[in-house]
Amino acid sequence: MKLIHLIPILVLLASCGISPEAQVPEEVENQPAQPYNLAMRNGLPKTLPPGVKVNYYSGSVLEKRIALTFDDGPHPVNTPRLLDILRAHSVPATFFVIGNRVDQYPNIARRIVREGHEIGNHTYTHANLSKLGDAGVRSELVRGRDAILRATGLYPTLFRPPYAALKTHQRYNIKAEFGYPIVFWNVDPLDWKRPGPSVVADRLVKGTRNGSILLVHDLHASSVDAIPETITRLKAQGYEFVTVSQLINRAAMLQKRAAVEPAL
Ligand SMILES: [Zn+2]
């Protein structure tokens, strides 16, 4: 094909706002997460260059900062009770909510945000995404995001896959299309087996290290019952509670500084 034949195609591409030479952002991993439509407008690639950080299991080991995360709510009784506990202890947390439960209990989702906690996308139906095709995964994330947006007026900026089940290419697609860091955890007390509040608290406290992300489910009364003791003991050990975004953005900043500062 001669150049003269390409010109109308290039003009068409330019008029659609699609550059034939779209630039790949250099440091996608250190940018704050963006809502889906903003990420698309900024031309984030569907596949990311190698070395981009997608999965987060913890924050920096250099600081006594940790994040409490609560999955699978909102629950009509246990989530408000948990919010009362967090407020009494002045502790921020991160809630990975299920979209169809947010549609059922939008007031609780609003309260989560109003009281300074962070809210993350945990799909619409708690589907096992590793068993779905790309269109199914996208639908779960879009519907989860839209439920949060309808209830709170905010786009979620984090994502946690149900059952931690997500194939590698799905992780990259989600990070690229939605801008979400994929957030896992490194302390799991298996509270969903309901071993009792004191056992849950003990497992959480004993598993915690600098930068830990703690996994709890606010669906269960016994899990919520474990939280006052957990907070009291971890605060006594000098840990500071932050949201996941605070934890991982700070970790990225420290990594960057360590990379540029000469060793003493
Ligand atoms: Zn879950």
Side-chain angles (χ1 to χ4, degrees):
M1 189 188 280
K2 290 181 181 171
L3 182 61
I4 190 88
H5 296 127
L6 278 172
I7 287 172
I9 298 170
L10 291 171
V11 168
L12 184 68
L13 284 174
S15 68
C16 294
I18 303 166
S19 163
E21 294 173 354
Q23 290 292 307
V24 174
E26 276 181 37
E27 289 187 271
V28 176
E29 80 275 24
N30 288 332
Q31 293 178 352
Q34 299 175 337
Y36 161 73
N37 58 355
L38 192 60
M40 291 307 282
R41 198 162 67 228
N42 288 348
L44 283 174
K46 278 262 185 179
T47 51
L48 298 173
V52 167
K53 191 165 174 61
V54 173
N55 307 311
Y56 289 84
Y57 293 86
S58 62
S60 169
V61 297
L62 302 177
E63 297 186 308
K64 294 200 81 156
R65 288 155 61 100
I66 56 175
L68 259 180
T69 66
F70 296 97
D71 285 17
D72 299 353
H75 183 281
V77 175
N78 294 323
T79 306
R81 203 159 61 80
L82 171 63
L83 288 166
D84 291 344
I85 292 167
L86 295 173
R87 185 165 58 188
H89 288 83
S90 300
V91 162
T94 303
F95 290 78
F96 289 96
V97 292
I98 301 173
N100 63 25
R101 300 188 68 90
V102 171
D103 278 345
Q104 269 181 283
Y105 310 109
N107 288 340
I108 301 175
R110 267 194 291 283
R111 185 180 163 194
I112 288 172
V113 170
R114 194 172 64 235
E115 298 192 357
H117 306 292
E118 187 164 33
I119 203 159
N121 193 339
H122 195 45
T123 74
Y124 192 76
T125 69
H126 209 263
N128 183 333
L129 300 183
S130 67
K131 294 183 175 166
L132 297 183
D134 289 348
V137 170
R138 190 167 183 283
S139 165
E140 279 285 343
L141 266 74
V142 166
R143 288 191 295 153
R145 175 202 66 193
D146 289 351
I148 293 169
L149 185 60
R150 273 194 298 278
T152 69
L154 294 176
Y155 284 99
T157 57
L158 302 167
F159 173 67
R160 173 174 281 167
Y163 317 106
L166 207 57
K167 293 175 181 167
T168 302
H169 81 275
Q170 293 176 322
R171 297 175 189 213
Y172 277 73
N173 284 348
I174 289 169
K175 168 80 180 181
E177 183 171 348
F178 294 83
Y180 296 145
I182 317 275
V183 179
F184 298 91
W185 55 85
N186 67 355
V187 183
D188 180 359
L190 302 178
D191 62 308
W192 54 274
K193 292 186 179 176
R194 304 183 202 196
S198 61
V199 173
V200 171
D202 216 44
R203 289 175 181 170
L204 286 168
V205 171
K206 286 183 176 155
T208 295
R209 304 283 179 272
N210 286 3
S212 278
I213 296 176
L214 288 66
L215 170 67
V216 191
H217 297 80
D218 52 327
L219 283 182
H220 308 304
S222 58
S223 300
V224 172
D225 290 340
I227 299 307
E229 182 189 338
T230 303
I231 290 173
T232 304
R233 287 172 63 185
L234 288 171
K235 274 190 172 174
Q237 292 182 21
Y239 287 106
E240 180 195 356
F241 291 89
V242 295
T243 65
V244 167
S245 284
Q246 289 169 329
L247 191 77
I248 66 181
N249 288 342
R250 176 85 176 139
M253 217 171 79
L254 285 169
Q255 267 170 17
K256 212 171 172 182
R257 200 169 67 198
V260 296
E261 279 178 358
L264 293 173

